[in-house]
């Protein structure tokens, strides 16, 4: 349930309402939006409404949330959540681009990719140090050394760092480097991992599972938020369908739907959706037209030699072309390409 509070409510009144809710077995999440203050009360098995709640000082109204996801829902927070990390800004009338190689392979490869994506307007560098590969024999990432190269690239370029964590035991280590922690598609329903990153106080990029419904994806975001980490970025990266000409099928409707059902920023990953560099631009532009706040793009200085996801990686030159088209399209959609504070 949500308890909508008067905008002028005092701290003491808020605490009194939270106290009553906690007595009824709820966990309280205070959500300060632009237009209202709301207490999201979740987690009570009985779901009883305390009888005096509606008449308590500072309480405007009490509402049930009809969706199974609560803190994620626009019913709880009507205005868009804007997430910032370093020079990256997601949501609020901008289109932002997170780009980089699938995997950190070497210091030179990462630096070259970082310089290129920055030059063409990305504000975050995405690269995996821990790779969740389908085959145990495939390159698994440089791990701690990869994190070190990411820190160096950030120091050199000022780009925010996005990198994946695959193991709950590594969350602290990965979060010490990452500005945004990525949860990959294969781990979208790894609930201990979701709870662990829910303990962090930094943004989580949550990729949609390979065969996850929109509701399962949003419930995964609810896991993270229920632990008190409200900065979740949803990432549509294509789902499994009967089609084999593409690696996955970009679910454009999920982007539009997620924007309607939730207040969280939505990013599209056309690289993993199409699985082919030639499909990246059309899918990226379609995603923006459907309402995506940002794009996650795989860029490699030499895709033919990439250790991971080369066929879907853009060269720096192709990335530059994509960014030019993004800059042209954004104003048509009433948005602007976000190039960072220095703009
Ligand atoms: C990735 O982002 O490189 C990746 C492994 O993607 P996904 O988890 O979407 O398959
Ligand atoms: Mn990849």
């Amino acid at each position: 349930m949500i308890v909508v509070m008067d905008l002028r409510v005092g701290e003491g009144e808020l605490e009194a309402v939270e106290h009553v809710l906690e007595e009824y077995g709820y966990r309280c999440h205070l959500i300060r939006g632009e237009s209202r203050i709301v207490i999201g009360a979740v987690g009570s098995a009985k779901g009883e409404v305390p009888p005096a709640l509606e008449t308590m000082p500072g309480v405007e109204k009490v509402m049930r949330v009809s969706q199974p996801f609560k803190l994620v829902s626009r019913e709880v927070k009507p205005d868009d959540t804007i997430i910032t990390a370093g020079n990256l800004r997601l949501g609020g009338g901008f289109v932002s681009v997170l780009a980089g190689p699938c995997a950190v392979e070497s210091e030179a490869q990462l630096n070259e990719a970082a310089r290129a994506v920055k030059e063409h307007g990305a504000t975050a560098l995405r690269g995996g140090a821990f790779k969740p590969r389908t085959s145990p024999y495939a390159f698994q990432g440089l791990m701690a050394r990869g994190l070190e190269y990411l820190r160096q690239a950030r120091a050199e370029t000022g780009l925010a760092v996005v990198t994946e964590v695959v193991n709950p035991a590594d969350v602290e280590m990965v979060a010490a480097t990452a500005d945004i922690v990525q949860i990959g598609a294969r781990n979208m329903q790894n609930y201990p991992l979701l709870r662990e990153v829910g303990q962090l106080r930094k943004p989580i990029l949550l990729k949609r599972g390979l065969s996850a419904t929109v509701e399962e994806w949003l419930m995964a975001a609810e896991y993270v938020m229920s632990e008190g980490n409200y900065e979740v970025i949803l990432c549509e990266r294509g789902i499994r369908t009967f089609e084999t000409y593409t690696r996955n099928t970009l679910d454009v409707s999920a982007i539009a739907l997620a924007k309607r059902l939730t207040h969280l920023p939505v990013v599209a990953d056309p690289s993993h959706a199409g699985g082919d560099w030639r499909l990246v631009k059309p899918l990226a532009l379609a995603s923006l037209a459907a309402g995506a706040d940002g794009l996650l793009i795989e860029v490699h200085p030499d895709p033919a030699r990439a250790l991971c996801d080369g066929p879907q990686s853009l060269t720096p030159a192709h990335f530059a072309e994509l960014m030019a088209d993004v800059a042209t399209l954004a104003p048509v959609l009433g948005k602007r390409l976000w190039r960072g504070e220095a703009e």
Side-chain angles (χ1 to χ4, degrees):
M1 112 182 86
I2 56 174
V3 184
V4 182
M5 307 298 294
D6 189 318
L7 265 179
R8 293 151 303 178
V9 68
E11 287 305 311
E13 289 165 341
L14 268 177
E15 274 170 29
V17 172
E18 287 181 342
H19 183 70
V20 168
L21 288 164
E22 278 157 15
E23 275 183 347
Y24 273 72
Y26 289 99
R27 279 175 77 176
C28 295
H29 298 266
L30 190 63
I31 301 148
R32 288 183 194 270
E34 268 165 39
S35 52
R36 61 184 198 177
I37 299 175
V38 157
I39 300 173
V42 293
S44 157
K46 285 203 213 126
E48 272 179 87
V49 182
L53 189 62
E54 216 138 2
T55 55
M56 289 183 75
V59 173
E60 241 171 43
K61 58 182 170 190
V62 179
M63 289 157 63
R64 292 220 173 257
V65 182
S66 56
Q67 303 286 7
F69 41 88
K70 312 289 180 195
L71 303 171
V72 164
S73 169
R74 254 201 211 276
E75 288 180 75
V76 169
K77 183 169 180 282
D79 38 276
D80 284 354
T81 290
I82 295 171
I83 294 183
T84 57
N87 228 353
L88 174 74
R89 180 193 165 95
L90 275 168
F94 289 96
V95 168
S96 302
V97 178
L98 305 73
C102 180
V104 179
E105 298 170 8
S106 69
E107 196 176 351
Q109 171 251 18
L110 185 67
N111 285 339
E112 205 176 327
R115 272 184 232 122
V117 302
K118 178 176 168 126
E119 183 190 338
H120 300 304
T123 45
L125 173 65
R126 209 294 308 245
F130 293 87
K131 295 305 301 177
R133 303 302 299 278
T134 302
S135 164
Y137 310 119
F139 176 60
Q140 305 284 312
L142 294 182
M143 302 178 198
R145 197 148 52 87
L147 295 176
E148 186 189 320
Y149 296 157
L150 284 164
R151 290 194 295 275
Q152 287 170 11
R154 171 176 48 210
E156 201 193 299
T157 60
L159 293 166
V161 164
V162 188
T163 197
E164 179 165 354
V165 65
V166 298
N167 183 349
D170 293 337
V171 166
E172 209 181 305
M173 181 199 1
V174 172
T177 292
D179 298 297
I180 298 178
V181 176
Q182 175 176 324
I183 299 292
R186 285 154 196 80
N187 274 314
M188 189 208 81
Q189 285 183 313
N190 181 340
Y191 299 120
L193 184 61
L194 296 177
R195 285 203 188 277
E196 200 59 40
V197 298
Q199 299 300 322
L200 298 172
R201 293 298 173 262
K202 58 173 58 183
I204 306 302
L205 179 85
L206 179 63
K207 299 192 95 178
R208 181 177 178 191
L210 278 67
S211 302
T213 63
V214 168
E215 189 168 302
E216 287 164 341
W217 183 31
L218 301 185
M219 290 308 279
E222 187 79 17
Y223 261 89
V224 178
M225 294 181 77
S226 71
E227 295 293 324
N229 187 351
Y230 305 127
E231 295 194 294
V232 179
I233 302 156
L234 296 167
C235 178
E236 160 59 36
R237 45 77 74 201
I239 50 170
R240 227 167 231 183
T241 66
F242 52 81
E243 183 53 71
T244 54
Y245 269 49
T246 47
R247 182 174 177 181
N248 293 288
T249 298
L250 179 71
D251 188 358
V252 178
S253 30
I255 297 170
L257 204 51
K259 287 301 297 175
R260 189 158 66 78
L261 293 173
T262 88
H263 53 86
L264 299 171
V266 177
V267 159
D269 170 357
S271 306
H272 290 88
D276 179 335
W277 71 268
R278 289 164 295 203
L279 294 175
V280 170
K281 187 155 72 173
L283 298 184
L285 300 179
S287 302
L288 295 178
D293 299 291
L295 298 168
L296 181 64
I297 308 288
E298 285 192 339
V299 177
H300 194 289
D302 187 359
R305 289 202 169 74
L307 296 181
C308 185
D309 288 349
Q312 67 194 34
S313 299
L314 298 187
T315 59
H318 285 137
F319 181 65
E321 280 175 28
L322 167 69
M323 293 301 277
D325 280 11
V326 170
T328 306
L329 177 62
V332 178
L333 302 168
K335 295 182 177 173
R336 207 148 57 87
L337 175 60
W338 173 254
R339 292 173 185 273
E341 292 294 355
E343 198 180 356

